[in-house]
Amino acid sequence: MIDKLKTKNTVTDEFKYVAKLLSRATLSFLKVNIIGQISIVILCVITIILIIAQTFNNGGGPVHTNGQAAVFVLFLARPISFGLTILTIFGAPFLLFTLGNKYVMTRTINRLITDKGEQILFPIIDRILNKVKANQPQLMQSGVDKTKLQLKVLQEIRDSKENKWFKKIIAYGFKKIELNEIDFKDENVSFTEIIKNKIIDKLKDISEPGRLFFYLILGWQTLILLLTVFKVI
C-alpha cells in the first residue's frame, strides 16, 4: 500500500513538473514571438511613414499616385533606407520565428536535462529505441544500413504517443549524433544503449541559451530607423 502511494505521488510530481515545464516553454515562445513581431511591425511602419514624410515634405505626396508608383518613388528617393525596411518586414518575422523556436527548444532541453532528465526523458528514449529493436531487430545488428536506421528511429519518434515537446527534444538530440561513429560489428555491446547515451550526451552539451538574437533583430531595425531620421541612408 505504501509503495503504491509512493508511486502515485511520484507520477503526480512528474506530471506537475512536466506541465510547469511545458507552460514555461509555451510562454517563452509566445513572449519572444508576439513581442518581437509587434515590435518589428511598429518599427518598420514608423520608418516607412518617416520616409514618406521626408520624401513628400513639400505636399502632394503619394495620395496623387497609385500604390506601385508611390513605392517606386520612395525606392528611388531613399533606396537604402526603404529597401532595408522592406527586406526587414518580410525577412525579420521569419528569422525571429525560426530563432525563437530554437531558443525555446534549447532552453527547455537545458532545464529538463538539469532537473529531471534521468526520471522523465531517458525512459522515453529507452522505450522508443527498444520498440525499433523489437519491430526491426536487423537494424541493430552488424552491417546495418545506417541511413535506414536513422530514418526508422526518427519515424518511431514521430509516431510514438509520447509528449510532442519531448519527441522534439529527442529528435533534436538524435539528429546531432553520428551513427558512423558506432561500431555495429561488435556483437557484445547493446547498440540501443550506445545510441541512447550518445543522444543524452548531445543534449547535455547544450548550454542555456540567451536572447541575443532577439535584441539583434530589433536593434537592426532600430538602427535603420535612427539612420533614416538623420538621413544618413
Side-chain angles (χ1 to χ4, degrees):
M1 184 67 179
I2 295 176
D3 291 339
K4 288 183 178 180
L5 287 174
K6 287 183 178 178
T7 302
K8 185 177 180 180
N9 289 335
T10 300
V11 172
T12 302
D13 290 341
E14 288 184 358
F15 179 79
K16 289 180 179 178
Y17 173 77
V18 171
K20 182 179 179 180
L21 181 71
L22 297 182
S23 64
R24 284 182 176 178
T26 303
L27 182 60
S28 294
F29 179 81
L30 292 175
K31 283 169 60 177
V32 167
N33 276 278
I34 291 177
I35 295 175
Q37 304 292 2
I38 291 176
S39 299
I40 289 171
V41 171
I42 291 174
L43 288 170
C44 288
V45 169
I46 292 175
T47 304
I48 291 176
I49 291 175
L50 182 63
I51 293 172
I52 292 173
Q54 291 176 342
T55 303
F56 300 101
N57 57 0
N58 293 324
V63 294
H64 300 296
T65 59
N66 60 41
Q68 291 181 342
V71 170
F72 184 69
V73 170
L74 292 174
F75 184 79
L76 288 179
R78 306 291 291 277
I80 298 177
S81 178
F82 188 71
L84 289 176
T85 302
I86 295 300
L87 286 175
T88 302
I89 288 176
F90 290 102
F94 175 77
L95 183 63
L96 180 66
F97 178 83
T98 303
L99 295 179
N101 196 23
K102 183 178 180 181
Y103 163 78
V104 173
M105 176 67 70
T106 52
R107 186 180 182 189
T108 303
I109 291 172
N110 185 269
R111 176 69 65 181
L112 179 60
I113 293 294
T114 302
D115 292 347
K116 294 182 178 290
E118 190 169 345
Q119 296 123 295
I120 298 176
L121 196 64
F122 301 172
I124 297 176
I125 299 174
D126 278 330
R127 287 195 292 271
I128 291 173
L129 293 178
N130 287 333
K131 190 171 181 180
V132 173
K133 185 177 180 180
N135 293 338
Q136 294 189 347
Q138 71 277 10
L139 289 179
M140 296 291 181
Q141 297 173 356
S142 60
V144 63
D145 184 338
K146 294 174 183 177
T147 301
K148 187 175 180 180
L149 173 59
Q150 184 180 45
L151 293 175
K152 182 60 182 177
V153 172
L154 288 173
Q155 180 184 346
E156 188 59 47
I157 293 172
R158 288 193 297 268
D159 295 342
S160 68
K161 296 181 180 180
E162 307 292 347
N163 181 279
K164 67 176 183 179
W165 275 99
F166 294 160
K167 290 196 294 185
K168 284 184 178 182
I169 290 172
I170 295 170
Y172 184 83
F174 179 71
K175 289 177 182 178
K176 288 186 171 293
I177 70 174
E178 294 290 340
L179 292 177
N180 292 327
E181 298 176 356
I182 302 175
D183 183 10
F184 285 90
K185 296 179 181 179
D186 190 348
E187 298 179 354
N188 298 318
V189 298
S190 171
F191 299 121
T192 55
E193 193 67 21
I194 292 175
I195 293 173
K196 170 192 169 184
N197 290 334
K198 284 187 173 293
I199 292 174
I200 292 170
D201 289 340
K202 291 297 182 182
L203 293 176
K204 285 182 176 179
D205 287 341
I206 298 173
S207 59
E208 187 170 359
R211 294 187 182 182
L212 180 61
F213 73 94
F214 179 83
Y215 301 113
L216 286 176
I217 292 174
L218 297 186
W220 164 257
Q221 184 53 37
T222 302
L223 178 62
I224 294 174
L225 175 58
L226 291 175
L227 294 177
T228 302
V229 170
F230 296 104
K231 298 184 179 181
V232 177
I233 58 176

